[in-house]
Structure formats: structure tokens, C-alpha cells
């Protein structure tokens, strides 16, 4: 009579222990921060920006996109924050918060010198990209693409729009930056 | 004068005196005594002897007798094998009760952890994504085609308009009034526009 509850209890304990171990397992997060100079000079898109060209052209209506710098950082879920330098004297501070609902959660803080400009809590799909616009530069602006990737989430299929971006034309009504 | 019936009645006189006889016999003896002087005399002698014996007998004091006996029984040490068997019996009963409660508690805890915890985050803090793009103070942002303007919004929750959310901005804090956020439906790309400070 005691053997059945005992076996059940042992199974439950083992299951919860394995679940807790899987839950608490540290995960790695790879960050790539690409700074792009966007302008209306009709020079097209830099070939090095092919992976994100569709996303750039879908949200902006500039005619030129040129890669200024590309930086990489590696950290872990809820690990140490990573600091990136951006053109225009800005600093990008990324603090991973972990994996939530299959998305990479992190807190972004953008500084100009010592002044905090923006702090935001963001969740990205694996290999997802968030664009940060600004500052304006001559006839265009500096755009920063923040891409996050976690090998733990790599088993999940990548978003279709990122893996095979449709070549939809940018909306004609979208005004260009002409400052 | 004693008769043959008196020989049968005489042995019953003591029981009759003590009221220990049944109804039929008692009535038979009483009927005989009513008509037999010899037996009545014998009956009186028997009653007198009983009274004398009761008067001379010493009645022991039984106050506290029961409790004293029980205490002495309790003080008696049972044999070793009886003590060992009693000990194991009590341990088995205690362990069975404790194990049953412990196993039930662990099972409930494990079930709760396995079944409920993975889904808890869906109900805490996530909420349902909003299917609109929101711009705060859009005057300084380069307006794309698929922008919906919502003025006077503070720290809005923004989700790109796709069946599967690609980017979720849970909170946004800035002292710059022209910070803007929007997204492109076709690429599910979100933009956080942070203009220069003026």
C-alpha cells in the first residue's frame, strides 16, 4: 500500500527537480549592434546590411544605408550588462533579463555622455532586431540595429520575415528625412 | 411436626431468606411456611444465624481499591519481546501517518510546479499584446507609412502588428518629449526613435 505513493512521490520529485534544473540552466545571449548611416543620397544599401536591409527599408524611406560599425557582445541570461558605443557620443547599455515566453528580455538604456536619454524594457524573438533611430546626421540619421540571439532558443524556427524577407516596396507616402 | 414435604422445603429456606428464589418456588415455600410451624421456626433460626454472621463479619475498606490495582498493573514491566513489538508498532503507525502526509504534500507541490509554473509567466506581466503601433509626440520622428499616432501616451506597451509578436516594448522611460516608437507591419520591425536633446 505504501509502495504506490512512494513511487509516485519519487517520480514527482524527480520530475520537478529536472524541470527546476532546466529552468535554472544559464543561457547565452549573443548581441550584435550595427550602426547605420541613413541618408537620401541615392546610393543604395550597403551589401553588408543585407540581413537587415528589408527591415531598414520597411520602416524608413531613406535611399542610402551605409554600415558605420558593427559590434558584438556576449553575455548570459540575467547576466552582466554589455556596453556599446554608438556614433554621436551615445552609449548603449544592454542588461539581459532572461528568457520569457520564448523571447529574450532585456533592458536597454541609452546615454548621451552621462545623461540617460531613454530606458526601456524590451523583449525580442530569437534573432529579432530592434531599430533605434537617432541622432540625426546631416541629411539623414544614425540608425542602430540591435540583434539578440540565444542558442537555447535556436531550436525554434526563426521568424519567417527575418529568414526570408519579402521584398515589399517601401510605402510611397513615407516621408524621407531631409534635415 | 416435620413432614416429608418439610425435608424438601428445608434446603430452600436459606435461598428464600436471601430472596434468591424464582417466583414459583418462592410461592411454594411461602405457602408451606404459612402452614408449617416447624419450618417457620427453622426459617427464623436461619434468619437469626444470618443476622449474627453479618453482624460479626468485618467489612474491608475498599476505598481506592480499584485505583491501587490499576497503578500496580501499570508499574509492572512487560517482557522484552512485548516492549519491542509495541515500540515497532508505534513507530510504524507514526511513520505511516507522516509518510502519507509528506508524500501527498510532495506530490501536490511537484504537480503545482510542473503544471502551473511554466504557464504562470503568461499571466503575470505579459498580458495580451496590443496590435497597434504607438508614437509618443511624433512631431520629431520620421513618420513611416504604417504609423498610428496616439498623443499623450506615457510608457505605452507596444507590440509589433503580427500574429506572433516579434518585439515587445514593455516600458519606456525618457525625459525627452519627442521619443517615438513605431513598427512596420510587413517586417514586424519596431523602431525606437531617440532624437537629439534640444
Amino acid at each position: 500500500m505504501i509502495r504506490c505513493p512512494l513511487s509516485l512521490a519519487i517520480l514527482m520529485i524527480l520530475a520537478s527537480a529536472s524541470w527546476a534544473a532546466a529552468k535554472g540552466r544559464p543561457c547565452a545571449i549573443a548581441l550584435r549592434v550595427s550602426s547605420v548611416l541613413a541618408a537620401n543620397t541615392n546610393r543604395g544599401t550597403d551589401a553588408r546590411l543585407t540581413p537587415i536591409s528589408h527591415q531598414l527599408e520597411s520602416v524608413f524611406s531613406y535611399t542610402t544605408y551605409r554600415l558605420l560599425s558593427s559590434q558584438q557582445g556576449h553575455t548570459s541570461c540575467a547576466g552582466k550588462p554589455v556596453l556599446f558605443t554608438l556614433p554621436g557620443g551615445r552609449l548603449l547599455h544592454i542588461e539581459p533579463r532572461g528568457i520569457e515566453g520564448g523571447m529574450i528580455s532585456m533592458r536597454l538604456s541609452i546615454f548621451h555622455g552621462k545623461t540617460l536619454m531613454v530606458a526601456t524594457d524590451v523583449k525580442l524573438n530569437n534573432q529579432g532586431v530592434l531599430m533605434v533611430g537617432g541622432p540625426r546626421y546631416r541629411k539623414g540619421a544614425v540608425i542602430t540595429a540591435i540583434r539578440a540571439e540565444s542558442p537555447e532558443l535556436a531550436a525554434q524556427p526563426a521568424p519567417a520575415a527575418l529568414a526570408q524577407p519579402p521584398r515589399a516596396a517601401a510605402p510611397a507616402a513615407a516621408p524621407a528625412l531631409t534635415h | 411436626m416435620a413432614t416429608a414435604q418439610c425435608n424438601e422445603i428445608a434446603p430452600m429456606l436459606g435461598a428464600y431468606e436471601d430472596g434468591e428464589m424464582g417466583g414459583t418456588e418462592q410461592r411454594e415455600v411461602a405457602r408451606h411456611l404459612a402452614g408449617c410451624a416447624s419450618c417457620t421456626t427453622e426459617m427464623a433460626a436461619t434468619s437469626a444465624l444470618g443476622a449474627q454472621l453479618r453482624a460479626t463479619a468485618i467489612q474491608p475498606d475498599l476505598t481506592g481499591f480499584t485505583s491501587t490495582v490499576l497503578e500496580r498493573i501499570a508499574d509492572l514491566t512487560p517482557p522484552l519481546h512485548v516492549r519491542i513489538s509495541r515500540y515497532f508498532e508505534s513507530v510504524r503507525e507514526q511513520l505511516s501517518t507522516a509518510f502519507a502526509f509528506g508524500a501527498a504534500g510532495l506530490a501536490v507541490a511537484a504537480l503545482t510546479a510542473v503544471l502551473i509554473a511554466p504557464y504562470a509567466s503568461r499571466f503575470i506581466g505579459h498580458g495580451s499584446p496590443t496590435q497597434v503601433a504607438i508614437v509618443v509626440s511624433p512631431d520629431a520622428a520620421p513618420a513611416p507609412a504604417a504609423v498610428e499616432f496616439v498623443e499623450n501616451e506615457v510608457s505605452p506597451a507596444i507590440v509589433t502588428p503580427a500574429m506572433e509578436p516579434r518585439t515587445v516594448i514593455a516600458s519606456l522611460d525618457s525625459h525627452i518629449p519627442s521619443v517615438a516608437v513605431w513598427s512596420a507591419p510587413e517586417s514586424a520591425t519596431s523602431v525606437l526613435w531617440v532624437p537629439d536633446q534640444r
Side-chain angles (χ1 to χ4, degrees):
Chain A
M1 178 143 185
I2 291 178
R3 288 181 181 176
C4 285
L6 177 62
S7 303
L8 181 63
I10 291 173
L11 284 175
M12 292 295 182
I13 293 170
L14 290 176
S16 59
S18 60
W19 173 79
K23 183 82 174 176
R25 183 173 53 198
C27 60
I29 292 179
L31 299 168
R32 176 181 286 274
V33 175
S34 302
S35 296
V36 179
L37 177 61
N40 286 315
T41 54
N42 295 315
R43 294 189 179 180
T45 302
D46 193 330
R48 296 170 293 179
L49 294 174
T50 301
I52 60 172
S53 61
H54 168 69
Q55 289 150 298
L56 284 169
E57 293 164 2
S58 66
V59 293
F60 300 105
S61 54
Y62 296 101
T63 56
T64 300
Y65 297 96
R66 179 168 298 279
L67 180 66
L68 293 178
S69 66
S70 182
Q71 306 168 68
Q72 293 187 40
H74 296 275
T75 183
S76 61
C77 296
K80 292 193 301 184
V82 185
L83 187 65
F84 299 93
T85 58
L86 304 180
R90 292 185 176 186
L91 297 173
L92 173 62
H93 183 273
I94 300 179
E95 181 181 357
R97 293 291 175 85
I99 305 296
E100 297 179 13
M103 303 180 79
I104 301 171
S105 176
M106 51 193 180
R107 183 168 180 79
L108 306 182
S109 302
I110 299 175
F111 295 86
H112 187 275
K114 293 182 180 179
T115 303
L116 176 63
M117 302 178 73
V118 172
T120 180
D121 293 313
V122 179
K123 294 175 187 175
L124 292 177
N125 267 6
N126 193 36
Q127 303 177 0
V129 176
L130 173 69
M131 303 283 184
V132 176
R136 295 183 187 280
Y137 181 76
R138 296 188 179 178
K139 293 184 179 181
V142 174
I143 298 169
T144 302
I146 302 170
R147 182 178 186 271
E149 180 178 5
S150 175
E152 277 69 20
L153 297 174
Q156 300 179 5
L162 295 181
Q164 194 171 9
R167 302 301 299 176
L177 292 177
T178 56
H179 295 274
Chain B
M1 179 179 180
T3 65
Q5 193 177 5
C6 291
N7 294 331
E8 298 174 0
I9 295 297
M12 295 188 286
L13 291 177
Y16 178 81
E17 170 66 15
D18 295 335
E20 297 174 348
M21 300 186 71
T24 303
E25 290 178 334
Q26 189 176 12
R27 283 192 296 272
E28 184 71 21
V29 173
R31 191 178 304 116
H32 179 80
L33 287 175
C36 180
S38 175
C39 286
T40 302
T41 304
E42 181 68 19
M43 177 68 187
T46 302
S47 298
L49 179 60
Q52 289 177 0
L53 288 174
R54 283 191 289 271
T56 57
I58 299 173
Q59 293 290 334
D61 185 9
L62 298 180
T63 304
F65 176 76
T66 303
S67 60
T68 303
V69 171
L70 292 176
E71 288 175 2
R72 292 191 61 180
I73 290 174
D75 290 340
L76 291 176
T77 302
L80 181 60
H81 69 278
V82 174
R83 284 183 283 163
I84 291 174
S85 63
R86 285 180 182 174
Y87 171 76
F88 281 111
E89 182 72 15
S90 64
V91 168
R92 190 182 66 80
E93 290 179 356
Q94 293 175 359
L95 282 180
S96 297
T97 303
F99 180 81
F101 279 103
L106 284 174
V108 170
L111 277 175
T112 302
V114 171
L115 298 179
I116 297 177
Y119 302 99
S121 60
R122 296 186 181 180
F123 302 99
I124 301 174
H126 284 211
S128 60
T130 306
Q131 296 295 318
V132 296
I134 299 175
V135 172
V136 182
S137 300
D139 54 338
V147 171
E148 297 178 19
F149 294 96
V150 179
E151 296 184 355
N152 300 323
E153 287 284 346
V154 178
S155 297
I158 298 113
V159 176
T160 55
M163 293 302 293
E164 181 182 359
R166 305 288 169 77
T167 303
V168 176
I169 299 180
S171 69
L172 179 64
D173 300 316
S174 176
H175 67 278
I176 302 175
S178 53
V179 169
V181 179
W182 74 85
S183 62
E186 63 271 24
S187 65
T189 303
S190 294
V191 177
L192 172 62
W193 188 264
V194 185
D196 297 320
Q197 290 180 284
R198 295 174 182 173

